[in-house]
Amino acid sequence: MSADQPTLPILIHEEHHHHEGETVEESKRSHTVDAAIDFIGGINGAIASVYVGQSLDTVKVKMQTFPHLYRNALDCFLQTYRQDGVARGLYAGTVPALVANIAENSVLFLFYGLCQKAVMVLRGRAEVSQLSPVENAFSGSGAAFFCAFTLTPTELVKCRLQAMREMASQGKLEGGLERLKLGPWGITKEVLQVEGIRGLFKGLTATMAREMPGYFFFFGGYEFTRHMLTPEGKTKDEIG
């Protein structure tokens, strides 16, 4: 699951039967509207999540990368604020973080449904709604495989922006403190020029190793909870 935030809950709509008196056209329109609402809600949630948690994510990345430079998280937070302020300090890497989270939710929304249908076929189920919590968990883990391809480039740029001050101050960054003026697009262009497209996908395997188990338990926990809360004789969509 993305390091930028606890991954946002995507509202998943199961296959519904048409209600009595409802036309096929009305049913299709309703599902399309529901999907659009969930998608837009996910995007807005991603934006809110980034702006709430980005400063703490910056502290986390700095302390993981340069543990010897800071006494604790508060010291790291205060030093970053004093040296670089809010926009270029605590909120460094916000643009790639936004792109990562919005792309992650979009890809997850698409591939979770596709993976559910694939598991449905493999398990010989008639409908997606018949999948067990464990089968849904494997669907989420499969969707996370595809999410990793959207997260890796954006997180690479984000982390380099967050760690730039420390790299420059230790003389490990060509160009020194002048490099702090580089934004996300400048970093991306530089990586492509020096390392090529493969440079943006450094850490892909590690990202998959984080995302796939994370989403297995995320979706597994979500679906197991719905399963346990569903009264006997009702479906998961009727629990409110």
Side-chain angles (χ1 to χ4, degrees):
M1 303 163 75
S2 171
D4 303 314
Q5 34 103 24
T7 305
L8 301 163
I10 303 297
L11 302 179
I12 307 299
H13 289 280
E14 311 287 1
E15 298 289 335
H16 298 295
H17 295 292
H18 304 316
H19 296 296
E20 190 175 345
E22 182 182 42
T23 67
V24 174
E25 186 179 345
E26 287 171 336
S27 176
K28 286 182 179 177
R29 183 174 65 243
S30 175
H31 285 216
T32 302
V33 171
D34 282 344
I37 290 171
D38 291 345
F39 181 71
I40 294 169
I43 289 176
N44 288 322
I47 293 170
S49 179
V50 168
Y51 278 106
V52 169
Q54 181 65 14
S55 59
L56 298 178
D57 182 71
T58 298
V59 170
K60 175 186 72 69
V61 169
K62 285 176 179 284
M63 292 194 68
Q64 287 175 329
T65 313
F66 309 99
H68 58 287
L69 293 182
Y70 304 103
R71 294 192 303 272
N72 50 48
L74 179 60
D75 179 51
C76 179
F77 185 96
L78 292 174
Q79 283 198 48
T80 301
Y81 175 73
R82 288 168 187 152
Q83 290 173 338
D84 296 309
V86 176
R88 290 190 176 273
L90 294 173
Y91 278 81
T94 297
V95 172
L98 285 170
V99 173
N101 282 295
I102 292 171
E104 179 183 19
N105 280 278
S106 304
V107 172
L108 187 69
F109 183 84
L110 171 64
F111 281 99
Y112 181 61
L114 294 175
C115 289
Q116 277 185 312
K117 291 176 181 176
V119 172
M120 178 188 76
V121 172
L122 291 172
R123 297 292 295 166
R125 308 290 189 192
E127 294 183 354
V128 168
S129 59
Q130 295 175 350
L131 294 178
S132 69
V134 173
E135 289 166 341
N136 279 307
F138 276 109
S139 300
S141 187
F145 171 84
F146 299 98
C147 277
F149 288 93
T150 65
L151 283 173
T152 303
T154 50
E155 288 203 337
L156 181 138
V157 173
K158 175 185 73 70
C159 290
R160 290 196 180 186
L161 285 169
Q162 289 171 322
M164 196 174 284
R165 156 72 65 175
E166 287 76 10
M167 294 288 288
S169 62
Q170 292 186 358
K172 296 179 180 180
L173 194 64
E174 187 179 342
L177 294 176
E178 281 297 310
R179 290 281 300 259
L180 296 178
K181 297 177 182 178
L182 273 178
W185 311 122
I187 292 289
T188 303
K189 183 179 177 182
E190 185 178 85
V191 171
L192 288 171
Q193 287 176 340
V194 176
E195 305 174 58
I197 191 71
R198 294 182 65 179
L200 288 174
F201 287 91
K202 282 185 176 178
L204 177 63
T205 304
T207 303
M208 287 179 178
R210 181 192 69 193
E211 296 294 300
M212 293 179 73
Y215 275 119
F216 178 90
F217 288 103
F218 177 80
F219 281 106
Y222 173 70
E223 291 295 342
F224 178 73
T225 304
R226 293 182 74 203
H227 176 75
M228 295 299 293
L229 291 173
T230 303
E232 191 175 346
K234 291 191 174 185
T235 67
K236 288 185 290 185
D237 293 317
E238 295 178 294
I239 61 176

